[in-house]
Amino acid sequence: MTAARQSDDHQTDHAEFLNACRQIVGDSNVLTTEQSTASYTTDWTGKYRGETLAVIRPSTTLDVAEIVKLCSARTIAIVPQSGNTGICGGGVPIDGTPSIILSLSRMNQIRAIDIGARTATVDAGVILEALQNTVQEHDLIFPLMFGARGSAMIGGNLSTNAGGSNVVRYGNTRDLCLGIEAVLADGSIVNGLTGLRKDNTGYDLKNLMIGAEGTLGIITGAVLKLYPQPKVRATAFLSAASLSAALEILNIVQDRLGNTVEAFEYVPQPVVEVILKHAPQIRQPLTDAAEVGILLEVASSRMDDAQEASDGGKALQEGLMTVLSDLMETGLVLDAMFATSDSQRAALWKLRESVLESINAHGPAYHLDVSLPLSRVADFVRIMDEKAAELGFRPLTIGHLGDGNLHYAISAADPATWDSLPLAQMTEFAFDLLGELNGSFSAEHGIGQSKAALLKARKEPTQLAMMRTIKQALDPKNILNPGKMFI
């Protein structure tokens, strides 16, 4: 058969396939033109682009199952996509593989809120912030918190096991999920939406799907944990004596204030300077530069913590001020700014959430998303900073220090020299150092395309082999998000 004849046959097959998809989801939800698919085929960073036969937008789990069955019969790859806010290329197709993008954006129903059990059952396409706003009406919170919450969707949060600033208290998305519903590679549906907090009836299939980036199944629904709305918060920006001192501060605050720390964010002065340059509406939080700056927030739903204190504030706020005063006397804290109004708190969080855009505006940079045992964080930063200076780089580091997650951005001391700097040498040094310190090269952003080669080279071989065995068993045709995680 000639190449031209094969091409004609493929076009005919694809046309029949797309017509079958239209029968399931409707004409308007099968997007095929370049104009209509452009926003789906490029990731948030603009670095990863791919071609697609179509963007398919189902509205129910049964729709998803029927689409998957069509794809399985024709060996057409499926790239599940939620809010497309990832930065590792996990939600866009790879070139050379006939594929569809399965957008879950129409699956946006909050199916149920159980106030007594404090759970929400939701579709995978529910936007994180929309869920948070809805449960707030019931005096509850869903505590997953990061900058893209206005467009990121629950399915993507689960598929990447997203983290954020509140992990120190509430854990990653995995820890906030009680059950999932998913469609497997053959179109069968796994329903685990019981909401049980204890269930030892075999393998934990929920946790198999969470963090798998759509390579084992397509998450279509979930039961999520909710928590009581805090009655009081206290927020401060600290200048710590050192990075090691910062971790000591964290433990002392936790001990003194009853495990109320919700955020403990590392925002050192080099990053603050970049933010002030590219976001001039933001102000320096302290009069003197904080080389080790910490954004600290504590919160409580206890009535006692919300009682009025002797200074006119709330008991928890007075408690934090007392702890910080004591820490200043010991020298662990050099200076502190306490937010006394909602606007001051918002300004501190605006500073923190402006980091990524400011670093990107500053010039070329390579972003590491790493995690380390808390006791090794200071060692990693010290050794990396020394190596970076030696090779002509300028590190711009922030992190969720309470859970050991650092976003270590490697920029150029002189941006004009970026192309001539030994980036490969610097990154290999970083990955070797992580191995020595028992760290991880992917903390909360996932693997996607960007770290697939790194996973193959750096993952412990037995663990990687086990992962491949699971992938082969659940997706023998490799139609679920191929080219992501595994290469």
Side-chain angles (χ1 to χ4, degrees):
M1 184 181 294
T2 66
R5 174 65 181 276
Q6 286 180 326
S7 177
D8 290 341
D9 287 346
H10 284 311
Q11 289 178 359
T12 300
D13 289 344
H14 292 160
E16 292 175 354
F17 163 74
L18 294 176
N19 284 333
C21 291
R22 292 185 181 99
Q23 293 297 313
I24 297 169
V25 301
D27 290 353
S28 63
N29 294 305
V30 178
L31 311 180
T32 57
T33 67
E34 184 175 352
Q35 182 178 6
S36 64
T37 62
S39 63
Y40 298 88
T41 55
T42 303
D43 84 323
W44 182 85
T45 67
K47 180 178 180 181
Y48 298 98
R49 301 172 185 270
E51 296 181 352
T52 184
L53 299 175
V55 175
I56 313 292
R57 303 188 302 182
S59 62
T60 69
T61 300
L62 290 176
D63 286 351
V64 174
E66 292 304 310
I67 295 294
V68 172
K69 288 176 183 176
L70 290 176
C71 291
S72 178
R74 294 163 175 80
T75 318
I76 292 174
I78 306 164
V79 180
Q81 188 180 104
S82 292
N84 199 18
T85 60
I87 62 174
C88 295
V92 295
I94 59 170
D95 291 334
T97 301
S99 62
I100 63 163
I101 293 174
L102 191 74
S103 170
L104 301 175
S105 59
R106 294 179 65 226
M107 296 184 63
N108 56 9
Q109 299 301 304
I110 297 175
R111 304 184 192 180
I113 295 176
D114 188 330
I115 297 173
R118 290 182 174 168
T119 63
T121 304
V122 302
D123 284 349
V126 169
I127 293 174
L128 172 57
E129 191 171 55
L131 173 62
Q132 292 170 331
N133 291 340
T134 298
V135 302
Q136 190 173 20
E137 298 172 5
H138 301 279
D139 206 27
L140 297 168
I141 62 168
F142 181 63
L144 189 63
M145 191 63 61
F146 49 80
R149 59 188 176 275
S151 50
M153 298 176 187
I154 296 299
N157 299 159
L158 289 163
S159 292
T160 58
N161 189 28
S165 59
N166 285 2
V167 171
V168 63
R169 183 169 186 178
Y170 298 103
N172 288 345
T173 313
R174 182 188 305 279
D175 303 296
L176 299 172
C177 182
L178 291 171
I180 62 102
E181 172 189 81
V183 176
L184 301 183
D186 62 357
S188 58
I189 299 172
V190 175
N191 188 337
L193 300 180
T194 60
L196 295 175
R197 294 173 188 263
K198 289 184 177 180
D199 183 7
N200 284 328
T201 55
Y203 298 142
D204 192 337
L205 304 180
K206 161 179 65 74
N207 276 319
L208 191 61
M209 294 293 166
I210 296 173
E213 300 185 28
T215 62
L216 301 180
I218 301 165
I219 295 174
T220 54
V223 181
L224 304 172
K225 297 179 186 177
L226 305 177
Y227 292 83
Q229 179 78 32
K231 292 179 170 59
V232 59
R233 282 190 170 90
T235 310
F237 193 90
L238 321 176
S239 176
S242 66
L243 201 48
S244 295
L247 295 171
E248 191 173 349
I249 292 166
L250 172 62
N251 290 333
I252 291 171
V253 174
Q254 291 279 44
D255 292 343
R256 293 273 297 270
L257 297 182
N259 198 33
T260 58
V261 175
E262 288 205 339
F264 198 78
E265 300 289 288
Y266 178 47
V267 192
Q269 184 59 23
V271 171
V272 172
E273 291 173 359
V274 169
I275 295 170
L276 297 179
K277 179 178 179 181
H278 297 283
Q281 74 277 12
I282 295 176
R283 300 179 61 183
Q284 178 95 9
L286 296 170
T287 302
D288 296 326
E291 292 304 319
V292 181
I294 301 294
L295 173 57
L296 165 65
E297 185 161 275
V298 297
S300 174
S301 59
R302 296 178 67 247
M303 289 296 298
D304 288 350
D305 288 330
Q307 294 295 319
E308 187 170 327
S310 58
D311 64 354
K314 304 295 184 181
L316 181 67
Q317 296 166 345
E318 183 178 61
L320 180 60
M321 292 181 72
T322 299
V323 174
L324 295 181
S325 177
D326 292 345
L327 290 170
M328 291 180 74
E329 289 186 9
T330 66
L332 290 173
V333 173
L334 305 179
D335 195 6
M337 173 265 184
F338 193 88
T340 58
S341 66
D342 288 342
S343 61
Q344 287 184 341
R345 174 180 179 259
L348 288 176
W349 277 107
K350 181 65 174 177
L351 171 77
R352 173 61 183 86
E353 292 178 353
S354 298
V355 169
L356 181 58
E357 290 182 358
S358 297
I359 290 177
N360 287 340
H362 187 66
Y366 183 93
H367 296 267
L368 292 168
D369 166 42
V370 306
S371 63
L372 295 128
L374 294 183
S375 61
R376 308 312 298 270
V377 169
D379 292 336
F380 178 82
V381 172
R382 173 181 53 80
I383 297 169
M384 282 289 291
D385 285 358
E386 291 173 355
K387 188 66 174 181
E390 174 190 325
L391 297 179
F393 292 99
R394 180 191 184 191
L396 295 171
T397 310
I398 59 159
H400 311 300
L401 195 57
D403 55 68
N405 177 195
L406 294 175
H407 299 295
Y408 193 103
I410 302 167
S411 68
D414 177 2
T417 66
W418 174 258
D419 291 337
S420 64
L421 294 177
L423 181 60
Q425 181 181 351
M426 185 72 224
T427 56
E428 284 301 303
F429 180 86
F431 298 136
D432 287 342
L433 181 60
L434 283 168
E436 294 171 14
L437 299 180
N438 292 322
S440 168
F441 56 80
S442 182
E444 64 176 3
H445 291 163
I447 300 297
Q449 299 178 54
S450 67
K451 300 174 188 171
L454 192 57
L455 183 77
K456 181 179 181 181
R458 297 275 178 172
K459 186 73 173 177
E460 196 276 324
T462 305
Q463 293 182 18
L464 186 61
M466 187 175 180
M467 289 170 59
R468 291 188 184 281
T469 299
I470 295 169
K471 169 68 171 175
Q472 176 62 29
L474 292 181
D475 182 20
K477 295 182 179 181
N478 192 29
I479 64 170
L480 294 179
N481 218 7
K484 321 298 165 50
M485 195 174 295
F486 299 103
I487 59 171

